[in-house]
Amino acid sequence: MSNTTDEDAFELSATRRTLPIALLRARELLMERFRPILSERGITEQQWRVMRVLHETGEADASEIAEKACILAPSLSRILKTLEAKGLITLHRDPEDGRRTLSRPTEASAALIREITPESVDIYADVEAKFGREKLARLLDDLDALVGALEDRG
Amino acid sequence: MSNTTDEDAFELSATRRTLPIALLRARELLMERFRPILSERGITEQQWRVMRVLHETGEADASEIAEKACILAPSLSRILKTLEAKGLITLHRDPEDGRRTLSRPTEASAALIREITPESVDIYADVEAKFGREKLARLLDDLDALVGALEDRG
DNA sequence: AACCTTAATTTAACATGTTAAGCATTGCCG
DNA sequence: CGGCAATGCTTAACATGTTAAATTAAGGTT
């Protein structure tokens, strides 16, 4: 449908240079590097995010984990069951509010984090080196700003 | 596990201010705005991306669509079948290479694009207004640069 | 032409994303 | 205290993500 140079340039920007796809593409390429060190240990990216959140909080209910790990409640519900089955977390009912489910990381989880973190740091450092430390910091700032702008409903 | 202010600040940056999650979070918030206009018409975000690519190329094999829409082959294979069932594309075998599957958009697809595009443009304009035109352009440039840096294997 | 390798998709199997319903527990209000 | 809306989570159902294996067609070699 588009054949002239001008049209191609226009069309290219239409889908390729669109924020949602640009974000997706960048993320895909990033995860290509991180995923192997997780799959070697038999855990998924989402399971890893949950473990990290719990490592930082020590204990959290599903809502808090969902917000911090950026995972929707239905997915999280399944992931927590999986992690419990793997012996990486324990699940309890909140004694002060019977609706809430509290998760706590196990020692196995802590060990896994100690094992994976160094490799993860190396990969991140490599990305930082290739892309530029300042540019990466600015990118993170801009992304935070975008989130801030989008969170204000109106 | 972390209770002092310093630790919190450190831990916060650990998961929250991480590139993969920052990209994911920004994308989620963005799609919250776009998804409704798609789901109203009964199509998903991925189906929409495929339709847009076909609208620009006119005809394409699976590999080209996958690359441009940023969708993995197995997912695309299912999506193409769905779109064909909905009457939004037609599927053919490439006469010059029997391994390839060619997709072509139908008129119904073109109509849907004409219907959705204006609303999509409005939303995008709103985001641009809230976030800033220059900042958004810079963000897109930075994301492109990141992709470029990550694509060079080494 | 038979054979091997590569390439383009597709299937299969399991995990997660997405939306809508369903279930229990709380908290509030009359 | 009974009733009820709101809250927190879980199920269900379907679509996509992810990896590995299977399928079919091209291309090249002998």
Side-chain angles (χ1 to χ4, degrees):
Chain A
M1 295 192 172
S2 47
N3 289 313
T4 73
T5 310
D6 282 337
E7 271 184 64
D8 279 351
F10 171 73
E11 299 291 2
L12 195 73
S13 97
T15 55
R16 192 135 187 178
R17 196 175 159 77
T18 272
L19 200 44
I21 295 187
L23 292 169
L24 178 59
R25 205 176 293 274
R27 191 166 193 290
E28 287 310 304
L29 279 170
L30 255 186
M31 291 318 299
E32 264 183 32
R33 307 200 164 203
F34 285 105
R35 235 188 298 277
I37 66 177
L38 299 179
S39 59
E40 272 176 21
R41 275 82 175 188
I43 63 176
T44 68
E45 183 200 335
Q46 292 83 351
Q47 291 166 11
W48 174 241
R49 292 210 302 271
V50 170
M51 286 171 59
R52 285 186 62 184
V53 167
L54 287 177
H55 177 68
E56 293 172 9
T57 61
E59 180 180 64
D61 59 41
S63 300
E64 183 179 358
I65 298 172
E67 205 283 324
K68 292 188 174 174
C70 205
I71 295 175
L72 293 177
S75 295
L76 182 59
S77 193
R78 290 174 301 208
I79 293 171
L80 291 180
K81 266 188 281 189
T82 302
L83 288 176
E84 187 188 33
K86 291 186 177 194
L88 293 171
I89 67 171
T90 56
L91 294 173
H92 323 271
R93 188 158 300 286
D94 187 335
E96 296 175 1
D97 185 340
R99 294 168 300 183
R100 296 175 191 274
T101 304
L102 296 177
S103 300
R104 220 172 309 179
T106 64
E107 174 51 34
S109 163
L112 203 47
I113 286 180
R114 283 193 297 271
E115 187 182 335
I116 291 176
T117 299
E119 294 185 45
S120 172
V121 168
D122 285 349
I123 294 176
Y124 207 80
D126 184 55
V127 171
E128 198 173 51
K130 286 206 173 78
F131 184 57
R133 191 186 187 78
E134 311 77 16
K135 266 176 89 173
L136 196 147
R138 185 177 74 180
L139 179 54
L140 282 170
D141 287 339
D142 285 348
L143 289 172
D144 277 352
L146 177 60
V147 168
L150 293 177
E151 272 174 347
D152 302 328
R153 290 257 151 277
Chain B
M1 294 191 172
S2 47
N3 289 312
T4 73
T5 310
D6 283 336
E7 269 185 65
D8 280 351
F10 171 73
E11 299 290 4
L12 195 72
S13 94
T15 56
R16 193 135 186 177
R17 195 175 160 76
T18 273
L19 200 44
I21 294 187
L23 293 168
L24 178 58
R25 206 177 292 274
R27 191 165 194 289
E28 288 310 304
L29 280 169
L30 254 185
M31 292 318 299
E32 264 182 31
R33 307 200 163 204
F34 285 104
R35 235 188 298 277
I37 66 177
L38 298 179
S39 60
E40 272 176 21
R41 274 83 175 188
I43 63 177
T44 68
E45 183 200 334
Q46 291 84 350
Q47 291 165 12
W48 174 241
R49 292 210 302 271
V50 171
M51 285 171 59
R52 286 186 61 184
V53 167
L54 287 177
H55 178 67
E56 293 171 9
T57 61
E59 181 180 64
D61 59 43
S63 299
E64 183 179 358
I65 298 173
E67 204 283 325
K68 292 188 175 174
C70 204
I71 294 175
L72 293 177
S75 295
L76 182 59
S77 193
R78 291 173 300 208
I79 293 171
L80 291 179
K81 265 188 280 189
T82 302
L83 288 177
E84 186 189 33
K86 291 186 178 193
L88 293 171
I89 68 171
T90 56
L91 294 173
H92 323 270
R93 188 156 301 286
D94 186 336
E96 295 175 2
D97 186 340
R99 294 169 300 181
R100 297 176 191 275
T101 304
L102 297 177
S103 300
R104 221 171 310 178
T106 63
E107 174 51 34
S109 163
L112 203 47
I113 286 180
R114 282 193 297 271
E115 187 183 336
I116 291 176
T117 299
E119 294 185 46
S120 172
V121 168
D122 286 348
I123 294 176
Y124 207 80
D126 183 55
V127 170
E128 198 174 51
K130 287 207 173 76
F131 184 58
R133 191 185 187 79
E134 311 75 17
K135 267 176 90 172
L136 197 146
R138 185 178 74 180
L139 179 54
L140 282 169
D141 286 339
D142 285 348
L143 288 172
D144 277 352
L146 177 61
V147 168
L150 293 177
E151 272 174 346
D152 301 329
R153 290 256 153 277

